[in-house]
Amino acid sequence: MGLFDIFKRKTNNTTRFDARFTSSSDVITSHDATSFAAVDLIASSLANLSGSFYNTQTRQILKDYNLNTLINSPNYDETKFQFFYSSVKDYFNGNVYWYKYDNDEGDIIALFRLNPNHMRVERDSFNQKVFYYNGNEYYGNKILHIPSRYGYDGLTGKSIFSECNRIFSNSSELDSYINNSFNNNVGNRLVIDITKEFPNATEEQIQALRNKFLNNYTGIKNAGKPLIKSGKIEYGKIETEYKDNRANQLIENRQFQEKEVAKLFGVPLALLTGGEKEKEIESLYILFIENSIRPIATIFEQNINKLIPVYDRHKIFFEYSYNSLLKTSLQTRIDTYAKQLTNGILSPNEIRKKENLSEIEAGDTLFVQANLLPLKQEIINSYMAKSKLLMQEINTTSPNTSGDHDNKGDDKS
């Protein structure tokens, strides 16, 4: 069977369904620029996150765990970035559906993202979810369904665009209005005065003159052509630009809508408008991670943990690292790395990895702050033995070992 024959396979068992649970996907796409920018920023950031499987007891990364390969390369057609970028966009539209493709041993070896537009979800007489995709029937052992947090009726999740329809509709309509207005030159306009040369011009003649001017003097093909003034025809312009009240009002409304959309997605507005300063960028990205990325990443983490076999879930878990999203200045990074190195938090190689540098020999050793000694058990034992020996020498060489008061020097005045 070919890899993509999974989408043509049908189950042999048929089940009667309760029509009360019938539902379909709710997929709505917003086309305004601010919403697109917010979704793109969140989806790109989450798709770039690195995640690992950890041992529950030791919290050590399980580098050789088989599902690491699955997360870093979900299938043969899509890269990790493409897969998770599209999945985050599906999440905002209400539902994410992953098809789990396993081998003969039952191990999941590939994940395929299914188009929510083609998915229908019902519940059978046992209240189990049944997924219909392009005429094929699947159960939860084959489909991993991630509904959005914006609303869930037990079958499908709700889109953020449908739940906050009024805000997105206003933003989209405002975008269209602004585009139409500025395409029709809400700004400087050329005025051709023919009242003196052609005082009795008909509407058809005026339109013909307008078309002649547009064909002969406007557009890229006519760039640089001189205007020819004849007779009593006069040329001028109406200067509106930002002095125009309507333009000012449009800008204010646009700024208000941008704030509203940014608020819905939890994205700091400065990250969408490019107004951040170097001193503020760290705090902005912390807000971005906590309000925009972490809620979705947590949902994805919990669902990726469902891919772990049941018998391993008590000792293995998946978790994202947000270090790649933390933006700081070079000096701040150096100071932070220095503190982490001298306190045994990170090894030199872990720091070099964060800076995309190659590993060095013995770079996996942790250090403690006292003279930057390697944090190894034998060195700790040696240090403690030396301290114990020193204390013994002090006790044996002390002139007063009984603990009584030494009167030497008491008679000094």
Side-chain angles (χ1 to χ4, degrees):
M1 180 183 293
L3 182 61
F4 295 102
D5 289 340
I6 58 174
F7 298 110
K8 299 179 181 178
R9 183 173 56 189
K10 294 186 178 181
T11 59
N12 295 325
N13 298 328
T14 58
T15 309
R16 297 182 63 182
F17 299 98
D18 190 336
R20 293 175 297 169
F21 297 107
T22 303
S23 181
S24 60
S25 297
D26 175 23
V27 179
I28 301 174
T29 304
S30 178
H31 299 289
D32 67 282
T34 308
S35 301
F36 179 87
V39 171
D40 179 69
L41 179 61
I42 296 172
S44 299
S45 300
L46 199 145
N48 275 318
L49 285 182
S50 59
S52 302
F53 289 88
Y54 294 83
N55 183 293
T56 304
Q57 299 296 328
T58 64
R59 288 196 63 85
Q60 294 293 319
I61 296 178
L62 304 175
K63 296 182 179 179
D64 298 328
Y65 190 58
N66 61 314
L67 289 183
N68 277 315
T69 303
L70 180 69
I71 298 302
N72 291 317
S73 180
N75 58 65
Y76 297 108
D77 288 336
E78 296 176 300
T79 63
K80 172 191 171 185
F81 182 91
Q82 291 171 325
F83 180 84
F84 282 100
Y85 181 91
S86 299
S87 296
V88 174
K89 292 183 70 175
D90 289 343
Y91 176 83
F92 284 119
N93 282 322
N95 299 276
V96 182
Y97 298 101
W98 291 346
Y99 182 90
K100 297 179 286 187
Y101 180 68
D102 49 20
N103 57 18
D104 295 336
E105 288 75 30
D107 298 324
I108 303 173
I109 59 175
L111 290 174
F112 293 91
R113 169 189 160 268
L114 304 183
N115 190 339
N117 290 311
H118 301 160
M119 181 68 72
R120 181 168 56 90
V121 184
E122 298 180 358
R123 286 191 183 270
D124 64 11
S125 57
F126 298 100
N127 205 28
Q128 292 182 320
K129 279 186 181 180
V130 186
F131 303 90
Y132 292 93
Y133 190 77
N134 290 341
N136 299 308
E137 174 187 306
Y138 303 104
Y139 281 84
N141 63 324
K142 286 296 184 182
I143 303 294
L144 178 58
H145 178 204
I146 307 176
S148 77
R149 69 181 190 272
Y150 305 109
Y152 179 56
D153 61 5
L155 285 175
T156 56
K158 301 299 180 182
S159 164
I160 186 176
F161 304 111
S162 64
E163 293 300 286
C164 306
N165 181 58
R166 179 177 298 178
I167 293 176
F168 290 110
S169 295
N170 290 342
S171 183
S172 182
E173 290 172 3
L174 184 60
D175 260 7
S176 299
Y177 181 75
I178 290 175
N179 289 334
N180 291 333
S181 297
F182 280 93
N183 285 339
N184 288 304
N185 296 322
V186 174
N188 292 340
R189 279 188 167 186
L190 177 67
V191 177
I192 304 176
D193 187 358
I194 62 172
T195 55
K196 296 180 181 179
E197 183 73 11
F198 304 105
N200 299 319
T202 64
E203 187 63 33
E204 290 77 10
Q205 291 173 328
I206 293 174
Q207 185 62 39
L209 181 60
R210 181 186 293 111
N211 292 338
K212 182 178 180 180
F213 179 84
L214 292 174
N215 292 331
N216 294 327
Y217 296 104
T218 62
I220 297 176
K221 63 179 181 179
N222 296 317
K225 286 185 178 181
L227 293 177
I228 301 175
K229 183 178 179 180
S230 61
K232 297 180 181 179
I233 296 179
E234 296 182 359
Y235 299 90
K237 66 178 180 179
I238 298 177
E239 295 184 4
T240 56
E241 294 184 347
Y242 296 112
K243 300 175 185 177
D244 185 271
N245 290 332
R246 183 171 57 160
N248 286 332
Q249 190 63 43
L250 286 175
I251 293 172
E252 291 177 5
N253 290 340
R254 178 64 176 272
Q255 291 173 343
F256 174 78
Q257 288 301 128
E258 286 178 343
K259 291 179 181 179
E260 291 297 297
V261 172
K263 186 191 304 180
L264 289 178
F265 288 102
V267 179
L269 185 60
L271 293 182
L272 297 178
T273 59
E276 70 274 8
K277 298 179 181 178
E278 184 176 351
K279 294 181 179 179
E280 300 173 351
I281 192 169
E282 184 175 1
S283 59
L284 285 175
Y285 270 92
I286 290 175
L287 289 174
F288 175 59
I289 291 172
E290 293 300 320
N291 297 329
S292 300
I293 301 300
R294 191 182 294 275
I296 303 177
T298 299
I299 292 173
F300 275 61
E301 285 173 351
Q302 294 173 353
N303 281 276
I304 290 174
N305 283 325
K306 293 181 180 179
L307 301 176
I308 302 173
V310 176
Y311 53 81
D312 278 339
R313 291 180 186 176
H314 69 285
K315 59 183 178 180
I316 298 174
F317 70 96
F318 177 84
E319 191 173 78
Y320 279 115
S321 170
Y322 301 98
N323 290 331
S324 61
L325 290 182
L326 293 174
K327 308 297 181 182
T328 59
S329 64
L330 177 60
Q331 186 60 48
T332 302
R333 293 205 310 275
I334 291 175
D335 293 342
T336 303
Y337 291 153
K339 291 178 181 178
Q340 291 173 326
L341 177 65
T342 57
N343 287 282
I345 299 174
L346 294 179
S347 68
N349 277 344
E350 288 173 327
I351 294 174
R352 293 177 66 85
K353 184 178 180 181
K354 291 177 180 294
E355 293 296 314
N356 292 324
L357 298 174
S358 60
E359 295 185 354
I360 58 175
E361 187 177 357
D364 293 325
T365 302
L366 293 174
F367 294 90
V368 291
Q369 199 166 10
N371 298 323
L372 292 181
L373 292 174
L375 189 60
K376 295 184 177 180
Q377 190 61 45
E378 57 267 24
I379 294 179
I380 295 175
N381 294 338
S382 175
Y383 179 81
M384 296 303 295
K386 185 183 295 185
S387 299
K388 185 177 181 180
L389 181 61
L390 181 60
M391 290 299 296
Q392 290 175 348
E393 291 177 356
I394 292 174
N395 291 333
T396 56
T397 58
S398 174
N400 180 21
T401 58
S402 63
D404 297 332
H405 176 65
D406 190 354
N407 296 324
K408 185 178 179 180
D410 286 352
D411 57 347
K412 291 183 180 180
S413 55

